[in-house]
Amino acid sequence: MNATDRTPADLLRSALAADPARPLVTFYDDATGERVELSVATFANWVAKTANLLQDGMSAEPGDRVALLLPAHWQTAVWLLACSSVGVVADVGGDPGRADFVVAGPGRFEAGLVCGGERYALSLAPLGRRFLPGPPEGYADYAVDVPSHGDRFVPYSPVDPEAPALIVAGREFSGAEIVQRAAAEAAEVGLTGPGARVLSGLPYDTWEGLNAGLYAPLATGGSVVLCRHLEQVGAEALDKRIESERVTAVAR
């Protein structure tokens, strides 16, 4: 984190400049056995492509609201940073009827149909696979559309750090507030500086889950082992994961 970082997108840019090869998000889905490790550079590439999809493909503008009907997942983390890059508000688990756009995963597709704007579906299948034979009715397939977008993102207008950037559990945060709170509260989840690595089984539907699972690692030069369906892992297997992933703190 640099003194000039005012938004989550700034944090990602600083991380990319400092050490693009280091791991940032390691994701486990213990219902499917999936493990995905994303370096800062790989994560930033996904963010750039998704931000270009938002800005050019969906014509999203600063201040628009995107309802993210998604669980704690590496692709959700990508969308959160893409929203920050464009200046749109990421409404985690928000009301689709009040949103300009919807991004939904399995189990939430029907709920998202009340949104009158463009809707994207994520399969959340291993390796981010596309839907076969096609996406749910009323949705475009993120996995089909995002690869064609550019690897470099430049917003059409500067993002205002004081503008609303995130809504979670009914609370609104500006980009600057996210950055400030992530840094100030990082120690509470055991992220004490560069190289620290937190294993998080917390959902993304609270600030605490988002902070442990994304923002605090970004703000401190750390990384996260993000685990979905962690309740399916026994104590011995969890201990082995903590050891093999060089975890320094656990948030559950």
Side-chain angles (χ1 to χ4, degrees):
M1 177 177 174
N2 294 324
T4 56
D5 292 340
R6 301 290 310 285
T7 71
D10 291 339
L11 293 177
L12 182 58
R13 282 190 287 270
S14 292
L16 189 61
D19 188 358
R22 72 173 175 86
L24 179 60
V25 178
T26 302
F27 174 73
Y28 282 85
D29 187 331
D30 288 298
T32 65
E34 178 185 15
R35 179 187 182 276
V36 175
E37 183 168 283
L38 292 90
S39 67
V40 174
T42 300
F43 184 81
N45 181 259
W46 275 96
V47 170
K49 285 181 174 292
T50 305
N52 281 313
L53 171 64
L54 263 171
Q55 182 171 262
D56 296 331
M58 300 167 69
S59 299
E61 299 179 351
D64 285 346
R65 182 181 297 194
V66 179
L68 296 180
L69 308 184
L70 299 167
H73 192 279
W74 70 266
Q75 289 187 321
T76 311
V78 165
W79 273 94
L80 286 162
L81 266 293
C83 289
S84 174
S85 300
V86 178
V88 303
V89 181
D91 191 355
V92 180
D95 180 359
R98 300 180 60 192
D100 299 288
F101 309 97
V102 162
V103 180
R108 302 303 305 277
F109 299 133
E110 185 174 354
L113 290 174
V114 300
C115 175
E118 194 159 358
R119 298 178 291 265
Y120 266 91
L122 279 65
S123 71
L124 302 182
L127 304 178
R129 291 198 304 265
R130 63 181 59 187
F131 291 90
L132 294 174
E137 186 175 354
Y139 286 84
D141 191 337
Y142 170 68
V144 171
D145 289 358
V146 76
S148 63
H149 288 273
D151 297 333
R152 181 173 177 269
F153 175 75
V154 178
Y156 292 149
S157 57
V159 175
D160 180 0
E162 302 300 334
L166 171 72
I167 301 172
V168 61
R171 177 161 182 187
E172 185 177 277
F173 298 83
S174 69
E177 188 177 4
I178 293 169
V179 171
Q180 291 162 3
R181 289 195 60 169
E185 299 174 15
E188 296 177 12
V189 293
L191 289 165
T192 55
R197 190 157 166 84
V198 62
L199 182 147
S200 178
L202 298 176
Y204 267 5
D205 58 1
T206 65
W207 163 255
E208 291 75 18
L210 289 173
N211 196 39
L214 177 61
Y215 295 126
L218 263 180
T220 58
S223 59
V224 60
V225 180
L226 184 64
C227 301
R228 186 182 183 205
H229 299 125
L230 188 60
E231 70 281 356
Q232 298 186 23
V233 178
E236 183 177 350
L238 179 58
D239 288 343
K240 288 181 179 178
R241 180 176 301 174
I242 290 170
E243 180 181 3
S244 66
E245 294 288 355
R246 298 183 175 87
V247 168
T248 59
V250 176
R252 297 187 66 182

